[in-house]
Each structure stands twice: as structure tokens, then as C-alpha cells.
Amino acid sequence: GKTIGKIKLRLGKGTMELQDIELWNHETKKQYLLVFATKEEVIAEKVGFLDMSFENQRCTVNGKKMELQVINLSRQIKCLPDELLQREIVKKLRSWKKRNFNAIYVEEKMRSEFLQEVCCEQGFYYVIAQKEFQMVKKESILSEEGIFDPMPSVYFPIEIQILDPKKGLLGIKSKWNFGNIKEDYYIRICVYQEEQRIGHNIKYILDFEPETMETINVSWISELDGKIEIHVELYQSVGNELIPKDYLYGKKVLTIQK
């Protein structure tokens, strides 16, 4: 890879200025390889660069306000991780990532290099209890305004808006980077009127970047009048080509009155 900096240490000390580096966040998970070399040995370690701060319960990451979906690890486990527990924590982090969690909260007594390293690898902010940030619940959402909200059992990772009710134009915004997830996700749209299903089976593979708006035109809505319900279902598709399985991940219902 490309070398972004190099320095010779004198008496074990030195300063190196880095330019044009990519900062770490929970989506990019950008890390660099830091190498210490002497005549006797070479030590290499992955590092990430991050600017994270709290003020009045508000979180700022790399200069931008950040919504945190936080797991209170201190309420999940009661001791520092041993080798067996470490493997279990990695499994839990991967599971929590699918629910769109992006931060781990720990008490000072549970500060751990292992936790910090695995959070960096899996895409979690590693938050240690401090005066500016305290958390008592097992899990919750910390909004950009510094307000704690309950974390739903299944976090619906897309936002849906009705852009043009006459034409049946919907806007879909992803909160996940679905490109980083191995499973396939898609949505199915069903239109109901007077409890009768008018149309269904529109599938849209979620492969667009997070926080970007994509549009879907549900054309037959333009031909309907009165109260219309649009059911947007999010599915996770797993398995292989021979035995596909689709799981309903969550559903949103939108209403149009024409």
C-alpha cells in the first residue's frame, strides 16, 4: 500500500505530520497500518483516526453531528472479556450491526484494548462513561439533539416519503450502507384500498448509498381516488440459489387521501 508518513525516532520519541488521511467512521471503518521497526524486531498494528466529542449529550464525529444507536455493554456483560467471551462479543457485535447499532458504551472499569480494537474493526464507536455522557439503559438512540429515545426491537433502516401522491411517487432513503452487508435486502410495495389489495410485488434491491434519496413510481396509484394505503415491506434474503429464504424485517404503512 501507499506510505503516508515516515519518521525516525530518537530516544523513543518523535512527531509526524500526516496529510490527506481518511478519518475513521462507523461506515467506512478506514484503518491504517502503523509499523515500528528496529534491527531486532518489527511491530505492526492497525490504527484509525477519529475526532469524537460530547457536549450536552450531543455527539460530534469528525466535525459533524452524529445520531448514535447505542448498546450499553456494561449492562450486557458483568466482567472484562476473557478469550471465550471475546469470541461471543464479536458475534454479538455483528448481530447488533444488522440492527443498525453503531456505538458501544462501557463503564470506566471495563475499558479494554480488545473492545476498542474489535469496535474499530466492526464499525462501532467506543464510548467510555464520562461526565458529558452517561447512559443507564441497555440500549437506546441518542439523537443529534442530545435526546435519548427507545431503541425499537427491530430498527427499520430506511425512511419513506410520499413525494407526489397524484403520480404515486415515493422517496426511499437508506440509513444503512447495504453495500457493506453480505445479505440481500429488498422492499416490496403493496397498495390497498378498502382492505382490498390493488397491486403488489414491486421489488427494489437496496444497493444505494446511505442518506441518498431514491425514487420509486407506483404507477397505478394515479388511477385511484379516495383513501389509499401503501404497505412498504423490507425483506432480508438469505440462503443460496437452490434454497432461497426471505424474512420480513419490518413494515411501514403510508396513507394517501385523494
Side-chain angles (χ1 to χ4, degrees), residues 11 18 32 37 39 60 74 97 111 124 135 154 190 196 244:
L11 301 178
L18 302 176
Y32 295 87
K39 293 181 179 180
T60 302
S74 301
K97 192 70 175 178
R111 181 192 290 263
F124 284 84
M135 180 180 176
V154 175
C190 301
Q196 297 292 321

Side-chain angles (χ1 to χ4, degrees), residues 194-209:
E194 297 180 355
E195 299 184 355
Q196 297 292 321
R197 188 168 64 186
I198 308 300
H200 69 288
N201 284 342
I202 292 182
K203 296 183 180 181
Y204 191 87
I205 301 299
L206 298 173
D207 58 356
F208 46 90
E209 293 296 319

Side-chain angles (χ1 to χ4, degrees), residues 77 83 168:
I77 59 176
E83 184 177 350

Side-chain angles (χ1 to χ4, degrees), residues 20 29 85 180 216:
D20 299 326
K29 297 179 281 188
L85 191 54
N180 291 339
I216 299 178

Side-chain angles (χ1 to χ4, degrees), residues 187-247:
I187 60 176
R188 184 174 69 177
I189 299 175
C190 301
V191 176
Y192 289 82
Q193 190 171 46
E194 297 180 355
E195 299 184 355
Q196 297 292 321
R197 188 168 64 186
I198 308 300
H200 69 288
N201 284 342
I202 292 182
K203 296 183 180 181
Y204 191 87
I205 301 299
L206 298 173
D207 58 356
F208 46 90
E209 293 296 319
E211 300 303 325
T212 58
M213 181 72 73
E214 296 282 331
T215 58
I216 299 178
N217 187 12
V218 188
S219 57
W220 57 77
I221 291 180
S222 61
E223 302 174 2
L224 301 175
D225 292 314
K227 184 179 179 181
I228 304 166
E229 284 190 354
I230 305 172
H231 294 218
V232 181
E233 300 170 340
L234 175 64
Y235 285 88
Q236 177 187 2
S237 182
V238 297
N240 54 42
E241 295 181 358
L242 297 178
I243 313 176
K245 295 181 179 179
D246 294 345
Y247 295 98

Side-chain angles (χ1 to χ4, degrees), residues 93-223:
L93 286 175
R94 291 171 178 168
S95 174
W96 291 332
K97 192 70 175 178
K98 292 180 180 180
R99 286 184 56 200
N100 212 34
F101 284 100
N102 62 6
I104 295 296
Y105 174 91
V106 296
E107 302 290 344
E108 174 65 32
K109 63 182 179 181
M110 292 186 63
R111 181 192 290 263
S112 162
E113 288 187 9
F114 162 76
L115 284 176
Q116 189 168 1
E117 290 175 2
V118 75
C119 283
C120 189
E121 292 173 357
Q122 299 296 328
F124 284 84
Y125 299 104
Y126 182 61
V127 182
I128 301 173
Q130 51 190 285
K131 181 180 179 181
E132 293 80 10
F133 183 80
Q134 297 287 333
M135 180 180 176
V136 295
K137 296 182 178 180
K138 287 187 176 181
E139 55 185 58
S140 61
I141 300 175
L142 177 64
S143 70
E144 293 181 2
E145 289 73 33
I147 300 172
F148 277 110
D149 294 318
M151 189 76 182
S153 57
V154 175
Y155 189 74
F156 201 66
I158 57 176
E159 293 180 1
I160 308 162
Q161 301 177 21
I162 300 174
L163 302 179
D164 190 331
K166 293 183 178 180
K167 296 181 179 179
L169 193 64
L170 304 183
I172 308 291
K173 180 186 289 187
S174 169
K175 295 183 179 181
W176 277 0
N177 187 348
F178 285 91
N180 291 339
I181 302 175
K182 293 182 179 180
E183 297 86 357
D184 290 327
Y185 289 81
Y186 66 88
I187 60 176
R188 184 174 69 177
I189 299 175
C190 301
V191 176
Y192 289 82
Q193 190 171 46
E194 297 180 355
E195 299 184 355
Q196 297 292 321
R197 188 168 64 186
I198 308 300
H200 69 288
N201 284 342
I202 292 182
K203 296 183 180 181
Y204 191 87
I205 301 299
L206 298 173
D207 58 356
F208 46 90
E209 293 296 319
E211 300 303 325
T212 58
M213 181 72 73
E214 296 282 331
T215 58
I216 299 178
N217 187 12
V218 188
S219 57
W220 57 77
I221 291 180
S222 61
E223 302 174 2

